[in-house]
Amino acid sequence: MEHLTKRYGTVQALDDVSVSVAAGRCLALVGESGSGKTTLLRCINRLADADGGRVLLDGRDVRDGDPVELRRAIGYVPQEGGLLPHWRVARNVALVPWLNADRDAGARARRALALVGLDPDAVSDRWPGELSGGQRQRVAVARALAGGQRLLLLDEPFGALDAITRHELQEMLLTLQTRGDVTIVLVTHDIGEALRLAHEVLVLRGGHAEQSASPAQLREAPATPYISELLLRSGVTG
Amino acid sequence: MTRLLAAVIAAALLLTPRDSAQRGIVPARRDSTVKHAASQPAGQRPVVIASKPFAESYVLAEMFAQLLESRDVPVVRRPGLGATEVAFAALRAGSIDVYPEYTGTGLLAILGHAPVHDPDSVFSLVQREFTSRFGVRWLPPLGFENTYAIAVRRNTARDDGLHTLTDVARVAPHLTAGFTPDFIGRSDGLPGLARSYGLHFAAVRPLEQALKYRALAAGTVDIVDGYSTDGAIARYGLVVLVDDRHFFPPYQAAALVSVRLQRDNPRAIAVLTELSGRLSVGFMRSLNERVEVQHEPVASVARDALRALGLVGTAATGAAMGAVTGAATAARAGTTTEVGPNTRAMSFGAFLWSRRAALASETLRHIVLVVVALAAGILVALPLGLWLERMRGAAEPVIRAVGVLQTIPSIALLAFMIPLFGIGVWPALVALWLYSLYPIVRSTFSGVRDADPNAVLAARALGMTPAQVLWHVRTPLAAPAIMAGVRTAAVITVGTATLAAFIGAGGLGEPIVTGLALDDTRLMLSGAIPAALLALIVDGVLALVERWATPAPLSAHWHRHRSPG
């Protein structure tokens, strides 16, 4: 992402932000509400279009094509999971393969469910409303991967979960990362979560990039007092 | 989604057989009349006879009908079609051929002419003007005048020393008036009367024809308008105040006939003219009294009147005549509110049973009106609501415009339909259809707009096209809201369809309108109670459709019985 700028009316949501992530790695976007982290994420799959700058995916500008095609190639998990409540789990997970008219949609869905640590036989025929919060988020991650997506966008995916469940899902995400074939961009307000899961962390504040660094660098040399404060408050240092 | 779609298609399919069944009703009615006149030259179009919704008008129209039938002229009856505006509009549009009207009404309400006090001048004036302006003809007057009568209770007249309308002006600020909406609005009614006598009442309540005498007797109002031939004046012992300034012009009763009848059936006109000059005020009041006070069936009162005048059936032909009218009555039993003799002593249950055939056909007609109008409403409003979700900018203006239709009073909307669609089933269907749109389009639009934002966001982000989001996500999630709108529209339609009787569309409104006009509570209830039950049943059936069309996890029922594991 290069020099991204986005305004909503008079609000500068993103102000000349640049960051990159290597294939198979995990980038965390950290900040408070209104810091621009969600806007930045949405510029990637064009739920939002930047006013200036560009987003390159494998060297291609995401705006050089059909947004629907683009989105089918990118996994996405919103905070509450966003499962379709009137579709059973199996159909939810098979969404993208089905949109792609993939004949193996069912099999892909089952593989994706296994990947996120769920038993396909146990959950396939259930309604999203019958699952626990943690199970729902696992299904949402499975849905975001079932189409063979190589890039996964997660917007506060574990924000609404209790501490124990959140920890389990973070473990699941780390396990996924060990496969090395999925690039992840994670939005979180929890810098501890970012340090734990990501290879690269971008701290945003009021649309500005405060610091972009590896977890170790960030911990050892916070660039601004704001970041030190964040680290302190989350109990990661001090 | 597929279920919701299926529900809509099922409703549309329902429409088809119902619609043809409904078409079957009207010819059946004509067939029976035509069959009765089988000896007639083939191809004779029946004469369509209407009346305004009050007893005298019913009696006169029925006398026209029986007289024509006795001369082998086929007729179709449209009793109680509507007030002056509706009946006259229907006559001009050619939907009806003849109805009884009053010269004063023609002069003041229809022509908007200044009052004229000489009866002969009024008649020649309206005859000339109606012929040249509307191509509508007044037959020579029937013989009696039925002018406005302003009446009070006997004790009011005594206590306040009221004899004339000039006396009333003195005490008017202490009186509450109950006038028909017709009278309140017409230049020859209250506005002119108040000006002429300087009347200022404490309050003026618009009351229906039949209700106002009851309200007067009950003391709810102190003064009412009526007609000089009203049977109720005698029944309630009312005092009619003298029009000492001669404000009310002469209201001679006469048959008003369409241009088409003059052209196509001069013989029918000749037959109707046999009644001219034959009816005296006293004779007419006695006929009205039999209908209004004794609750005798209109058909038998009219038959007796024609016999008394020697226009039908001497003793020798009387039996044949009786058989003919009997057959005609039986033929009409399916579609009119005519009731047989001896109904007064019956229990309400027995009364309902006695008119079961009419009730069944009225109910069927009512269901047809509701189902067809509602199905057409769904077919337009549902896609419109979905389309507006995509055109957010247009949504509010469009929905408000549809909402404005809802604010048009039903009777007014029905009256607007007459110049466009004539009378009968079509204008009623169009009016009911217009009323059904708003609740459906509003609830469809809000339902799809407010569908679970997280699910919509995820569906979009994972690559559904806007159309796929609408069809696979927003619409099924909106199903409960859409069905709520359909149920609201259905209940409104069942209720409003009772008013369709005012423009000759039949249905359960027919006994209500006739009952109101004839002050017959049982007849009114025989329409009102089934209509209320029908509303409950329709709502119940749609509740089942809702459960079936709503995706299981979205129903309230489902949530009560399962909790997230």
Side-chain angles (χ1 to χ4, degrees):
Chain A
M1 281 165 269
E2 298 174 350
H3 309 297
L4 278 184
T5 303
K6 172 78 183 174
R7 298 178 72 84
Y8 290 111
T10 59
V11 179
Q12 188 81 40
L14 286 177
D15 186 6
D16 194 15
V17 176
S18 298
V19 69
S20 64
V21 59
R25 309 278 278 181
C26 176
L27 166 68
L29 308 176
V30 181
E32 302 165 328
S33 325
S35 61
K37 58 191 194 298
T38 293
T39 302
L40 185 56
L41 188 78
R42 290 182 178 188
C43 284
I44 299 172
N45 65 355
R46 296 189 58 193
L47 288 176
D49 274 331
D51 301 326
R54 53 186 190 152
V55 178
L56 298 176
L57 210 61
D58 295 333
R60 275 187 55 201
D61 191 325
V62 294
R63 292 166 81 166
D64 289 347
D66 174 34
V68 168
E69 286 304 318
L70 173 78
R71 290 178 197 144
R72 287 181 189 175
I74 301 175
Y76 181 84
V77 179
Q79 181 165 5
E80 304 282 348
L83 296 179
L84 306 187
H86 58 297
W87 284 10
R88 292 181 194 273
V89 167
R91 193 169 174 204
N92 259 290
V93 176
L95 172 65
V96 176
W98 171 72
L99 289 173
N100 289 329
D102 187 334
R103 280 191 198 164
D104 295 328
R108 284 182 183 278
R110 292 178 68 83
R111 280 202 297 276
L113 282 169
L115 210 58
V116 298
L118 290 172
D119 175 3
D121 294 324
V123 296
S124 284
D125 284 337
R126 303 181 77 177
W127 300 104
E130 295 175 311
L131 304 177
S132 69
Q135 286 174 317
R136 271 203 291 271
Q137 289 307 92
R138 282 178 197 263
V139 172
V141 173
R143 182 177 65 174
L145 293 170
Q149 293 96 327
R150 309 272 311 279
L151 175 58
L152 189 55
L153 308 182
L154 308 174
D155 190 355
E156 301 264 11
F158 314 133
L161 301 174
D162 64 82
I164 295 170
T165 311
R166 188 182 319 140
H167 188 79
E168 286 172 7
L169 273 114
Q170 288 170 352
E171 291 295 329
M172 180 271 285
L173 212 59
L174 286 170
T175 312
L176 264 181
Q177 286 184 28
T178 60
R179 293 167 52 95
D181 59 352
V182 178
T183 309
I184 296 173
V185 180
L186 166 75
V187 162
T188 177
H189 63 271
D190 176 1
I191 196 163
E193 182 171 85
L195 296 176
R196 183 154 184 250
L197 297 178
H199 302 99
E200 190 74 22
V201 178
L202 171 65
V203 180
L204 287 159
R205 186 185 186 197
H208 293 277
E210 289 264 320
Q211 186 174 11
S212 176
S214 71
Q217 284 172 319
L218 199 76
R219 210 178 265 137
E220 285 157 21
T224 65
Y226 174 73
I227 296 176
S228 309
E229 171 80 20
L230 277 186
L231 292 168
L232 201 65
R233 266 192 287 151
S234 68
V236 177
T237 59
Chain B
M1 186 59 243
T2 38
R3 282 193 162 196
L4 189 73
L5 179 70
V8 171
I9 290 173
L13 288 177
L14 260 180
L15 180 153
T16 321
R18 296 284 193 196
D19 192 33
S20 51
Q22 167 246 321
R23 267 193 238 106
I25 289 173
V26 178
R29 186 184 202 172
R30 292 226 171 104
D31 287 350
S32 60
T33 334
V34 173
K35 201 191 302 162
H36 142 64
S39 57
Q40 265 292 121
Q44 179 89 288
R45 196 179 57 85
V47 178
V48 183
I49 300 170
S51 80
K52 298 205 260 183
F54 53 88
E56 181 171 292
S57 201
Y58 281 104
V59 173
L60 291 174
E62 181 61 24
M63 286 170 71
F64 295 167
Q66 290 190 16
L67 185 62
L68 287 169
E69 283 175 338
S70 76
R71 304 292 195 275
D72 289 335
V73 178
V75 302
V76 169
R77 291 167 171 84
R78 295 278 190 205
L81 177 66
T84 305
E85 293 75 12
V86 172
F88 185 66
L91 188 75
R92 279 188 75 185
S95 304
I96 61 172
D97 295 311
V98 54
Y99 79 95
E101 189 49 282
Y102 302 88
T103 55
T105 307
L107 182 73
L108 294 133
I110 299 176
L111 292 177
H113 199 281
V116 172
H117 298 291
D118 172 54
D120 294 338
S121 314
V122 173
F123 183 76
S124 57
L125 206 139
V126 294
Q127 195 173 40
R128 196 174 57 239
E129 288 293 311
F130 273 60
T131 308
S132 65
R133 281 165 66 170
F134 312 122
V136 167
R137 184 170 161 204
W138 290 83
L139 297 187
L142 296 167
F144 70 93
E145 270 190 40
N146 183 4
T147 188
Y148 276 113
I150 303 299
V152 294
R153 285 184 301 275
R154 191 172 297 282
N155 64 339
T156 312
R158 193 182 53 233
D159 298 348
D160 291 333
L162 304 180
H163 300 287
T164 65
L165 285 170
T166 303
D167 296 336
V168 172
R170 192 164 36 79
V171 296
H174 306 294
L175 300 179
T176 299
F179 293 142
T180 42
D182 209 28
F183 184 75
I184 293 172
R186 292 158 51 152
S187 58
D188 61 330
L190 184 60
L193 184 75
R195 232 185 353 265
S196 176
Y197 285 94
L199 296 174
H200 300 285
F201 292 106
V204 175
R205 302 221 177 121
L207 287 174
E208 264 314 309
Q209 192 67 29
L211 299 178
K212 94 202 149 178
Y213 284 117
R214 293 183 178 194
L216 181 63
T220 313
V221 296
D222 305 307
I223 186 164
V224 299
D225 67 303
Y227 302 108
S228 50
T229 52
D230 279 353
I233 289 173
R235 175 182 178 185
Y236 292 110
L238 305 177
V239 173
V240 174
L241 300 162
V242 177
D243 178 18
D244 48 331
R245 292 191 190 165
H246 304 286
F247 168 74
F248 293 120
Y251 283 82
Q252 289 184 288
L256 200 51
V257 300
S258 69
V259 63
R260 192 164 67 171
L261 189 68
Q262 299 172 56
R263 192 185 58 223
D264 296 352
N265 201 340
R267 193 166 150 265
I269 298 215
V271 171
L272 288 171
T273 311
E274 289 179 40
L275 276 168
S276 294
R278 300 295 308 276
L279 308 177
S280 70
V281 182
F283 185 65
M284 193 67 231
R285 195 180 285 140
S286 72
L287 300 181
N288 290 343
E289 204 260 348
R290 283 178 62 187
V291 172
E292 289 175 4
V293 183
Q294 314 297 332
H295 292 285
E296 288 186 49
V298 170
S300 55
V301 171
R303 185 167 58 242
D304 292 349
L306 290 174
R307 281 187 188 154
L309 295 170
L311 290 173
V312 302
T314 59
T317 57
M321 189 56 225
V324 168
T325 25
T329 308
R332 290 197 326 273
T335 44
T336 73
T337 51
E338 202 60 62
V339 292
N342 306 324
T343 60
R344 294 218 71 194
M346 290 179 184
S347 69
F348 186 59
F351 173 74
L352 285 183
W353 182 248
S354 76
R355 47 185 317 274
R356 61 191 178 280
L359 207 53
S361 115
E362 286 155 6
T363 306
L364 179 65
R365 172 63 71 89
H366 208 88
I367 291 170
V368 166
L369 285 171
V370 169
V371 169
V372 175
L374 193 63
I378 293 170
L379 286 176
V380 171
L382 187 63
L384 180 63
L386 296 180
W387 179 74
L388 288 176
E389 197 280 322
R390 304 287 305 278
M391 305 280 155
R392 295 284 179 94
E396 276 309 314
V398 169
I399 291 176
R400 275 197 209 123
V402 175
V404 167
L405 290 171
Q406 208 75 15
T407 67
I408 303 174
S410 327
I411 294 290
L413 185 61
L414 289 167
F416 290 152
M417 295 295 148
I418 292 176
L420 302 173
F421 303 101
I423 57 165
V425 171
W426 284 109
L429 280 177
V430 173
L432 293 174
W433 170 71
L434 288 175
Y435 278 126
S436 75
L437 296 178
Y438 180 71
I440 303 175
V441 74
R442 166 65 77 190
S443 61
T444 301
F445 172 70
S446 324
V448 290
R449 183 194 57 194
D450 301 338
D452 183 354
N454 251 305
V456 170
L457 173 68
R460 203 158 80 89
L462 288 168
M464 277 197 180
T465 63
Q468 286 171 328
V469 171
L470 181 60
W471 188 247
H472 292 293
V473 183
R474 288 188 187 273
T475 308
L477 294 182
I482 295 172
M483 282 307 300
V486 169
R487 285 170 69 175
T488 305
V491 173
I492 290 175
T493 307
V494 172
T496 312
T498 55
L499 298 173
F502 279 112
I503 52 171
L508 291 165
E510 209 160 300
I512 299 177
V513 170
T514 316
L516 263 173
L518 302 182
D519 196 12
D520 186 337
T521 309
R522 285 194 315 185
L523 195 55
M524 263 186 278
L525 289 178
S526 78
I529 292 172
L533 290 176
L534 192 61
L536 290 175
I537 291 168
V538 166
D539 192 49
V541 168
L542 287 175
L544 293 177
V545 175
E546 177 176 337
R547 275 180 70 172
W548 173 75
T550 303
L554 299 183
S555 72
H557 182 76
W558 191 85
H559 279 296
R560 273 204 302 278
H561 295 282
R562 304 196 201 191
S563 57

